[in-house]
Amino acid sequence: MPKAKAHPDQLGFNWNVPVPVRGEGALAGFERKVNRLVGTILASDTRSRYVIAAAMSELLDEDVSKSMLDAYSSPARDDHRVPFSRLAALVIVTGRQDLLREIMGDLGVALLIGAETEIARIGQLRQRIEQDKREIRELEGRARPIHEHRKGSN
């Protein structure tokens, strides 16, 4: 199994707009990508597959076995498709949300994980501040001074 390249605490978000794959057969082989992803996630965790399967079983309230994880992580096993709920449980149990980016880009999806949401929010707020500053400059260019009202006039 290939080892995961990024550390789970590393911010790997990029600002490229994802585009979903299109056309005939564009998602052909996607299940094998998912299987490889499962293998990478499992290889990146120091715990045994038995322990991971037990944690997934608890989270899902259904039986997940080590042999299921073995089958899910084998790209050669076309007959063992990974249910999304089990992929989600695996990601949560291992804390490897970062590795989902590998497959989500094909769907046209970008992920913000943890502190990345705060970074994106900061960017959004800075953009809003710049828009407000532009509006202020435009108004200042058009605005005329407000004269004081004379005493006694209403």
Side-chain angles (χ1 to χ4, degrees):
M1 301 293 149
K3 292 288 182 185
K5 294 177 183 155
H7 186 275
D9 296 331
Q10 179 180 346
L11 294 179
F13 185 74
N14 69 54
W15 299 102
N16 298 327
V17 176
V19 178
V21 295
R22 299 269 190 233
E24 188 174 333
L27 285 176
F30 189 75
E31 196 63 44
R32 283 187 294 284
K33 280 185 175 183
V34 173
N35 295 130
R36 281 192 297 277
L37 173 64
V38 169
T40 301
I41 290 171
L42 291 169
S44 73
D45 200 289
T46 58
R47 297 171 293 173
S48 75
R49 291 184 181 192
Y50 291 107
V51 171
I52 294 170
M56 290 174 62
S57 295
E58 184 178 323
L59 185 62
L60 291 165
D61 196 25
E62 61 185 59
D63 184 45
V64 177
S65 68
K66 179 213 180 268
S67 62
M68 286 178 185
L69 295 181
D70 292 341
Y72 294 158
S73 66
S74 173
R77 301 282 303 265
D78 289 336
D79 57 327
H80 282 82
R81 295 175 183 248
V82 183
F84 188 77
S85 61
R86 295 206 176 159
L87 178 61
L90 177 63
V91 166
I92 291 169
V93 164
T94 60
R96 293 311 309 259
Q97 290 86 348
D98 60 309
L99 294 178
L100 283 176
R101 288 187 175 108
E102 193 174 309
I103 62 169
M104 299 308 283
D106 287 348
L107 308 179
V109 174
L111 299 176
L112 294 174
I113 301 166
E116 293 172 348
T117 58
E118 293 170 339
I119 293 167
R121 180 69 175 141
I122 289 167
Q124 182 185 34
L125 291 171
R126 285 186 175 151
Q127 185 178 33
R128 188 183 323 162
I129 288 167
E130 287 304 313
Q131 289 171 340
D132 290 346
K133 285 180 179 179
R134 275 195 301 277
E135 184 178 352
I136 288 169
R137 285 190 300 270
E138 290 172 13
L139 289 171
E140 286 175 338
R142 294 192 315 256
R144 299 290 171 243
I146 300 173
H147 299 287
E148 279 189 47
H149 291 285
R150 296 183 184 181
K151 288 187 179 186
S153 65
N154 291 336

